[in-house]
Amino acid sequence: MSRMLRIAAAQYPVSPIPHFAAFANKLQTWVSEATANRAELLLFPEYFSMELAHAGGVAAQSLSGQIDFMQTQYPAFRGLIAQLATQHAVHICAGTYPVRDADGRVRNRCLFVFPDGSILSQDKLTMTRFENEEWMIAPGSGLQVFDIGKTRIGVTICYDCEFPAIATRLAESGVEVLLVPSCTDTLAGYHRVRIGCQARALENQFYVVQSPTVGECADSPSVDVNVGAAGVFLPPDRELVDDGIVAQGELNRACWLYADLDLDRVDNVRRHGQVLNYADRARARLD
C-alpha cells in the first residue's frame, strides 16, 4: 500500500490586520478550508506573520519597531498555531516569525506544530542582504528533522534552499519532503527560490514544496510587496513528471495549492530512476 500525504501550500495574502483577533480569524478560515479539503500537512510562507505589525499600529515605523512589537505577540501566535493544529488534527508548518532569543539577537524561526500541539522549530541559516544589512536578523544554527510517522520532513527557509549542502544534509537524514516557506518582493526573487526548489528536488530525488506570500501591504517596510506562486516539485524522471512540476499555483493569487504526495515514489526513483542523482552525488565531487 502506498504511503500518501496530502499537502496544502498557501499562497498567503499579506494584508493590514487591525488586531490579533482578526489575524486569528483569518488563520482559522484558512486552516478550516485546507482541512475541509483533506489536507494533512499545511505549509504557510516565510514572514507571513509580519502582517501582525499592523495590530500595534507600527507597520510604517522602523523595522526595529516592528520587531519589538512582534515579540509582544509571539506567545499568542504560538498558542494560536498549536490550537489550530490540535483542533483540526493536522501538522502545520507555520511559516516564519522573527523571534528575539535570550542572547538579544533576532532569528527568523519556523515553527513546526504537531496534531497534539507540540512544537519544534527550524531557524533560517543564511540571511539575505536585506535581513543582514537592514533588518539585522541573525542566522540560526543546526538542522531539524520532523518525523510525522509516515515520513520525515525538512525545512529550508527561502534563501536557504539556494544552497545545495543544506538540502543534501537533510536528505541524508532521511527527509523525503522538503518544505520551503518563502517571501520575495520581485519576480526575479521568486524565480531564484523556485529554481532552487527544483534543483534541490533533482539533486536529492525527493519532493520539494514552496509556499510564498503574495499581494501588497504598502505601508509595511518588511512585507510591502510580495510576489510568488506555490509549487510542488519532483525530479523529472519516468513515471514521475517530465518537467519536474507536480503542481503549480497561479502567480500572485491568494489560494491554497493542494497535492497528493506518493512518498514511495521517492524510494523508487532513487533505486530505479533513469539517473541516480542521489546515489551518484559522492562520485560527482571534484576533490
Side-chain angles (χ1 to χ4, degrees):
M1 186 178 214
S2 295
R3 293 178 298 133
M4 301 297 297
L5 175 67
R6 186 163 176 79
I7 193 165
Q11 296 187 181
Y12 185 87
V14 177
S15 59
I17 293 294
H19 43 67
F20 189 88
F23 179 73
N25 288 338
K26 182 176 180 179
L27 258 62
Q28 177 70 261
T29 299
W30 274 73
V31 172
S32 294
E33 179 182 331
T35 55
N37 282 281
R38 299 178 291 103
E40 303 168 79
L41 172 60
L42 281 54
L43 172 60
F44 286 96
E46 180 186 37
Y47 288 131
F48 86 113
S49 60
M50 287 306 300
E51 67 180 4
L52 270 174
H54 286 269
V58 297
Q61 293 182 12
S62 67
L63 289 167
S64 61
Q66 284 195 330
I67 291 293
D68 289 343
F69 177 75
M70 292 295 287
Q71 305 317 298
T72 70
Q73 305 298 294
Y74 183 54
F77 176 82
R78 283 179 60 99
L80 171 63
I81 298 300
Q83 181 263 321
L84 290 171
T86 56
Q87 176 187 346
H88 294 277
V90 292
H91 294 87
I92 299 178
C93 185
T96 73
Y97 198 106
V99 179
R100 181 173 287 116
D101 285 328
D103 63 2
R105 306 191 76 186
V106 177
R107 270 95 185 177
N108 186 10
R109 182 158 298 155
C110 177
L111 302 183
F112 192 96
V113 189
F114 293 80
D116 64 0
S118 59
I119 299 175
L120 298 174
S121 65
Q122 173 65 60
D123 288 350
K124 190 172 186 177
L125 305 179
T126 317
M127 299 299 103
T128 62
R129 292 191 65 188
F130 176 74
E131 289 171 310
N132 187 49
E133 298 172 12
E134 299 183 50
W135 215 356
M136 307 306 171
I137 306 293
S141 61
L143 286 170
Q144 302 296 323
V145 173
F146 307 106
D147 192 333
I148 65 169
K150 65 177 67 177
T151 192
R152 290 183 174 183
I153 306 290
V155 175
T156 55
I157 299 167
C158 201
Y159 192 37
D160 279 344
C161 86
E162 298 180 33
F163 300 94
I166 299 174
T168 297
R169 179 67 60 85
L170 288 168
E172 291 171 344
S173 299
V175 163
E176 294 179 309
V177 181
L178 183 68
L179 305 181
V180 182
S182 68
C183 178
T184 51
D185 61 0
T186 65
L187 195 57
Y190 157 65
H191 280 294
R192 280 197 302 271
V193 178
R194 176 183 163 168
I195 289 168
C197 289
Q198 291 201 256
R200 304 298 81 81
L202 174 65
E203 294 159 355
N204 296 290
Q205 296 183 294
F206 60 11
Y207 282 99
V208 180
V209 184
Q210 180 182 4
S211 165
T213 50
V214 299
E216 295 188 3
C217 203
D219 59 349
S220 172
S222 55
V223 288
D224 52 346
V225 178
N226 302 271
V227 178
V232 180
F233 309 106
L234 273 174
D237 210 311
R238 60 169 161 241
E239 299 181 7
L240 296 180
V241 280
D242 291 338
D243 61 0
I245 302 171
V246 177
Q248 180 69 57
E250 178 184 339
L251 189 69
N252 294 336
R253 178 188 170 206
C255 65
W256 283 112
L257 177 70
Y258 299 99
D260 294 306
L261 312 188
D262 184 345
L263 302 168
D264 289 333
R265 285 185 167 188
V266 173
D267 181 66
N268 186 63
V269 75
R270 286 177 176 175
R271 292 173 180 268
H272 308 296
Q274 289 176 297
V275 290
L276 303 174
N277 300 76
Y278 182 70
D280 289 340
R281 67 196 184 285
R283 288 191 290 275
R285 293 172 184 159
L286 296 175
D287 297 323

